[in-house]
Amino acid sequence: MTLRPGLMTSLPSFAAWTVCGIDELDQFSGSGVSHVLSIVDPNWPELSAFRAYGVHQRTILQFDDIIDPMVGKIMPAREHMAEILRFARDEAGAILVPERLLVHCHMGVSRSTAAMATLMARADSSLSEDEIFARLRSIRPQAWPNSVLIGFADELLGRGGRLTQALRRHYAFQKQHRPDMADWMVRLGRAREVEMAA
């Protein structure tokens, strides 16, 4: 496939792929980001930080960071993951591999890290599922990907449940090395994910 200028022509190292929260967006305004995936709560106001960014392509998705239905909240849905997988493609639908990618959500912990793991899996199908999550931790040490989104990614990428099983091992790693994250998830009503830890 033909890649646009500024896009990688070989398998990515992910060295210039970044995950952050809204409060960190200003830090990347001069970093030459070419593609941005913004995942924000429904009806979240436009983010002024992007006015300081150079020319870039940006996709905005709006849904809540939950794993069980809640009144007044929008659950992550299969179509949201389909939109993530449609991110950064050319007019013919061919996948592009951004050289400098930024994915963010509110805190840079759950929705954005699930999206980043998915985009890494899409960009390099040779990566094992455990390697995907290891690389994700190197990008965002506090990563706690939303399990609902990873489940949809597993299905849509044809990973046969292996991505979800690797997520369980990732949760176990985080539970051991960052127990504060596990405690935080329990307080947020995400105890089911903590219990998934294998």
Side-chain angles (χ1 to χ4, degrees):
M1 90 186 145
T2 302
L3 299 182
R4 294 174 185 158
L7 298 176
M8 290 181 175
T9 56
S10 59
L11 293 178
S13 68
F14 308 119
W17 286 25
T18 305
V19 172
C20 75
I22 289 174
D23 290 346
E24 301 164 89
L25 287 172
D26 290 338
Q27 299 174 24
F28 301 100
S29 61
S31 64
V33 168
S34 62
H35 291 73
V36 176
L37 178 59
S38 292
I39 305 176
V40 294
D41 296 348
N43 302 313
W44 194 265
E46 176 58 23
L47 296 165
S48 61
F50 289 110
R51 296 174 191 161
Y53 279 54
V55 176
H56 64 279
Q57 295 181 20
R58 182 174 171 225
T59 296
I60 304 170
L61 299 178
Q62 295 186 313
F63 57 90
D64 290 294
D65 187 23
I66 54 178
I67 61 170
D68 294 300
M70 295 178 63
V71 175
K73 301 287 186 180
I74 297 177
M75 274 284 290
R78 190 176 189 274
E79 180 55 30
H80 295 131
M81 181 49 66
E83 285 290 332
I84 291 168
L85 288 169
R86 285 192 286 268
F87 174 72
R89 292 176 180 257
D90 66 15
E91 291 82 357
I95 296 170
L96 302 177
V97 182
E99 183 175 357
R100 292 190 172 273
L101 167 66
L102 173 65
V103 182
H104 82 86
C105 59
H106 192 82
M107 299 292 291
V109 170
S110 183
R111 289 168 290 184
S112 56
T113 60
M116 180 61 81
T118 300
L119 292 172
M120 288 192 291
R122 186 192 74 169
D124 186 354
S125 60
S126 70
L127 285 175
S128 73
E129 291 76 19
D130 286 311
E131 189 173 4
I132 288 167
F133 287 107
R135 292 193 181 197
L136 179 64
R137 289 191 296 272
S138 72
I139 292 170
R140 192 68 169 173
Q142 64 267 51
W144 191 280
N146 183 291
S147 60
V148 174
L149 286 171
I150 293 295
F152 290 131
D154 206 338
E155 173 195 350
L156 292 170
L157 289 168
R159 291 268 178 162
R162 297 185 304 276
L163 203 58
T164 299
Q165 289 304 312
L167 177 66
R168 291 165 59 92
R169 292 188 289 273
H170 168 78
Y171 286 160
F173 181 95
Q174 295 295 67
K175 190 175 177 180
Q176 178 180 355
H177 294 88
R178 298 189 63 108
D180 57 312
M181 296 297 302
D183 292 343
W184 183 31
M185 289 299 131
V186 170
R187 292 196 300 272
L188 290 176
R190 305 268 288 270
R192 183 159 58 85
E193 289 177 334
V194 177
E195 292 165 1
M196 284 175 62

